[in-house]
Amino acid sequence: HDLEPEVMVKAVQAVQEVVDVPLCIDSSVVPALIAGLKAAGGRPLINSVTGEEERMEKVLPLVAEYKCAVIAISNDESGISTDPKVRFEVAKRIVQRAESYGIAREDILIDPLVMPAGAVPGAGKAVLDLVRWIAEELGCNTVCGASNISFGLPDREAINANFVAMLIAAGMTSAITNPLKPELKKSIMAADMLMGHDEDCMRWLRYQRKLAREAAAAAGGDAPADDRAARRARREA
């Protein structure tokens, strides 16, 4: 623990040398969180605060002081409840405490906690219900480890892709996923388009053209006709 603040600063500096996106500062050690927040450029995200009284007292003042966002996990001193209503009440309590520090609701990303469907019956429905309640009643953003749902089951990629699409339909605003999985990326983009988050379906159309170009290149064939026409128009211009 004594070394963690120093290690955190080095880690933040190393990551910021290669990317210019906001960082998520993750540590159970509060001095390390502070060190990471000071070293981070832009507006970071803290992972995380729970409904435990001690954790709220330590983390929420940092969120307010550094004007960052925070992941709020729906468990407290009693652990993780299998009852979605209990988890919702924990989330609500965190939000109310955060507001007492002047933290805006949109800066709170509630993690409703995804449990493995193979071990906890109804785990998927519980999270979908929670996401709807959080969006409608609390007005907060949401995040989750989506792939937890398929743990221990075969064909995890198919389960994860379908689950993420269902989460988007329920109102989930972000998720921890592998963006390099083609099936998952396609599912996310299709769900975004169907939910009206993709104006004129343009992201979906551009993505499909990109896939067509890649497939043609892999096969050693020609580019799609619309791309060939676009190149001819550029040459003629």
Side-chain angles (χ1 to χ4, degrees):
H1 285 188
D2 292 341
L3 294 175
E4 189 156 343
E6 180 182 349
V7 172
M8 176 67 80
V9 171
K10 291 179 179 178
V12 167
Q13 291 172 341
V15 172
Q16 289 185 152
E17 286 178 1
V18 293
V19 299
D20 58 0
V21 296
L23 302 183
C24 181
I25 310 299
D26 186 349
S27 179
S28 60
V29 179
V30 173
L33 280 180
I34 296 171
L37 289 168
K38 289 180 177 178
R43 189 166 184 256
L45 170 68
I46 288 180
N47 187 30
S48 58
V49 66
T50 65
E52 297 170 277
E53 191 67 30
E54 181 182 0
R55 189 69 179 171
M56 287 193 290
E57 287 183 359
K58 289 181 177 179
V59 174
L60 292 178
L62 297 179
V63 178
E65 179 182 353
Y66 288 91
K67 302 186 186 305
C68 56
V70 63
I71 294 175
I73 300 179
S74 303
N75 71 286
D76 57 15
E77 291 87 351
S78 63
I80 302 172
S81 175
T82 56
D83 185 343
K85 294 180 180 178
V86 172
R87 277 188 263 171
F88 176 78
E89 290 302 319
V90 173
K92 184 176 179 180
R93 188 166 69 248
I94 297 172
V95 170
Q96 291 172 339
R97 180 66 65 85
E99 286 190 315
S100 73
Y101 287 97
I103 300 166
R105 291 196 178 200
E106 58 263 30
D107 289 334
I108 305 168
L109 286 76
I110 296 175
D111 185 342
L113 295 169
V114 176
M115 309 297 285
V120 181
K125 184 180 184 303
V127 171
L128 294 170
D129 288 342
L130 269 165
V131 170
R132 290 190 189 95
W133 297 340
I134 291 165
E136 293 171 2
E137 299 187 36
L138 299 182
C140 294
N141 286 301
T142 41
V143 65
C144 72
S147 63
N148 289 354
I149 197 70
S150 64
F151 185 78
L153 294 172
D155 200 357
R156 294 189 66 184
E157 287 189 31
I159 296 171
N160 296 343
N162 282 279
F163 184 53
V164 168
M166 295 172 75
L167 286 170
I168 291 171
M172 177 72 75
T173 54
S174 62
I176 301 166
T177 62
N178 184 348
L180 300 180
K181 295 286 186 180
E183 188 171 359
L184 183 60
K185 182 174 181 178
K186 187 178 291 187
S187 179
I188 290 170
M189 296 189 72
D192 267 345
M193 181 267 292
L194 293 169
M195 288 298 292
H197 305 318
D198 180 2
E199 188 174 356
D200 296 327
C201 305
M202 290 308 298
R203 282 201 305 271
W204 178 256
L205 293 171
R206 285 194 294 268
Y207 180 58
Q208 290 301 316
R209 286 197 293 268
K210 175 177 178 290
L211 292 181
R213 287 195 300 270
E214 291 174 351
D222 291 331
D226 58 343
D227 284 350
R228 295 198 302 272
R231 284 201 297 268
R232 282 198 302 272
R234 285 196 297 269
R235 285 197 299 269
E236 292 169 1

